[in-house]
Amino acid sequence: MRVAIFTEPHRGASYDDQLRFAQLCEAGGFDGFLRADHYRAMGDEPGLPGPTDAWLTLAALARETSRIRLGTLVTSATFRLPGPLAVMVAQVDQMSGGRVELGIGAGWYEREHTAYGIPFPPVGERFDRLAEQLEIVTGLWRTPVGETYSWAGEHYQLADAPALPKPVQQPGPPVIVGGRGPKRTPDLAARYADEFNMPFKSVEETAEAYDRVREACERAGRAEAGRAPLVLSAGIVVAIGRTDAQAQLRAAPLHVKSALPPEDPVVGSPAQLVDRIGEFAAIGATRVHLRLIDLDDLDHLELIAAEVLPQLDGTR
């Protein structure tokens, strides 16, 4: 089981806060440090000192870490054009020595779009754009050096792109697609992704999502095409402590009104988190993303590293 840490800097975190947390993740033996791609907090809190751009942050972290994997859960397809996004991610992959992962989704939080003047089309169009972005980004990475890439789609058109720079990882950085959608999300994951992530839901709901994505992979002929099986991962909201009182204190932000959909957190002891990870492993997950709320709470991270990771086979 690979164990990554997922953070939400839009709740309130500077670059230095994220650097400290990422370096502690690396020292603690976690597999990855992934962050949300949002430009404002979900509730009424201001999220001081303000938002940080996901890919600008990851580029800097790439130069100040050496082992841990870095990525987004998830980049919004509404925020960036696919050509420049492919350039951006490839460059950060080079800067990290091949440690980057691109989690990408259709975008959903309208309030941040209107706040910063970002167009927010209807959900159907957002998924259409996401599908084109996945095709373009992976197509640019796969294009051999010396050849060009073109695309004529409904929303994006590229003509004779040099398809540079190339990422270190070939044919490209791992792509993560995830979410609760019953049809288009599994189909896009089957066609383009290396990892399917079900974020922050119960084991039962996650198992149902895994079944849908397995069926989508069969329809797409993924195995017949010689592609590797999808990595199945689960997101877990975590608030654990050495005592129940400490765990409840860490869980307090979960009770604040938010735009996020209902979640299934683990609130309690390290043993409860180990048990939940084991339940996800039993349904096929080989990676979990632990969402920790407070980037100033370094003790929370150290507790998981000391009392959870050693109980999981194959962690790194």
Side-chain angles (χ1 to χ4, degrees), residues 6-223:
F6 169 65
T7 63
E8 298 180 315
H10 55 274
R11 288 176 176 266
S14 66
Y15 169 72
D16 287 337
D17 295 330
Q18 295 171 73
L19 172 62
R20 182 175 64 247
F21 214 74
Q23 289 178 331
L24 191 57
C25 287
E26 185 165 81
F30 292 94
D31 169 67
F33 174 87
L34 290 89
R35 56 154 288 167
D37 187 12
H38 285 295
Y39 286 127
R40 67 172 302 161
M42 301 295 165
D44 294 330
E45 70 276 12
L48 296 175
T52 51
D53 180 81
W55 286 103
L56 185 62
T57 299
L58 293 172
L61 293 178
R63 307 303 289 178
E64 301 196 69
T65 56
S66 60
R67 179 196 60 80
I68 202 163
R69 298 196 64 80
L70 303 166
T72 49
L73 276 181
V74 293
T75 280
S76 175
T78 56
F79 288 174
R80 301 168 186 90
L81 296 171
L85 178 63
V87 171
M88 196 179 307
V89 178
Q91 181 181 350
V92 180
D93 197 51
Q94 290 182 357
M95 293 169 70
S96 69
R99 294 183 286 123
V100 160
E101 304 182 12
L102 171 63
I104 185 168
W108 63 274
Y109 190 34
E110 184 174 8
R111 192 179 179 200
E112 67 186 335
H113 291 75
T114 56
Y116 286 97
I118 302 168
F120 188 72
V123 63
E125 181 180 331
R126 297 202 305 276
F127 269 93
D128 291 343
R129 288 178 177 272
L130 172 61
E132 286 195 41
Q133 290 216 0
L134 285 163
E135 179 67 41
I136 292 165
V137 170
T138 57
L140 286 166
W141 291 339
R142 289 194 307 264
T143 300
V145 174
E147 297 184 15
T148 61
Y149 176 87
S150 297
W151 172 261
E154 181 179 355
H155 301 289
Y156 307 105
Q157 296 81 40
L158 285 74
D160 299 324
L164 297 171
K166 294 302 180 197
V168 172
Q169 299 174 92
Q170 289 295 319
V175 173
I176 305 171
V177 171
R180 306 164 185 87
K183 188 176 187 303
R184 296 199 69 178
T185 298
D187 287 345
L188 290 174
R191 290 177 61 192
Y192 296 107
D194 301 282
E195 176 178 332
F196 172 79
N197 175 256
M198 182 61 167
F200 319 124
K201 304 302 284 187
S202 69
V203 175
E204 180 180 4
E205 290 172 291
T206 302
E208 293 171 354
Y210 288 174
D211 287 341
R212 290 192 295 268
V213 82
R214 289 186 184 107
E215 292 168 1
C217 287
E218 291 181 6
R219 290 194 302 271
R222 187 181 175 102

Side-chain angles (χ1 to χ4, degrees), residues 280-294:
F280 280 120
I283 63 169
T286 58
R287 191 184 199 192
V288 290
H289 300 273
L290 308 182
R291 191 181 105 199
L292 304 187
I293 298 169
D294 185 357

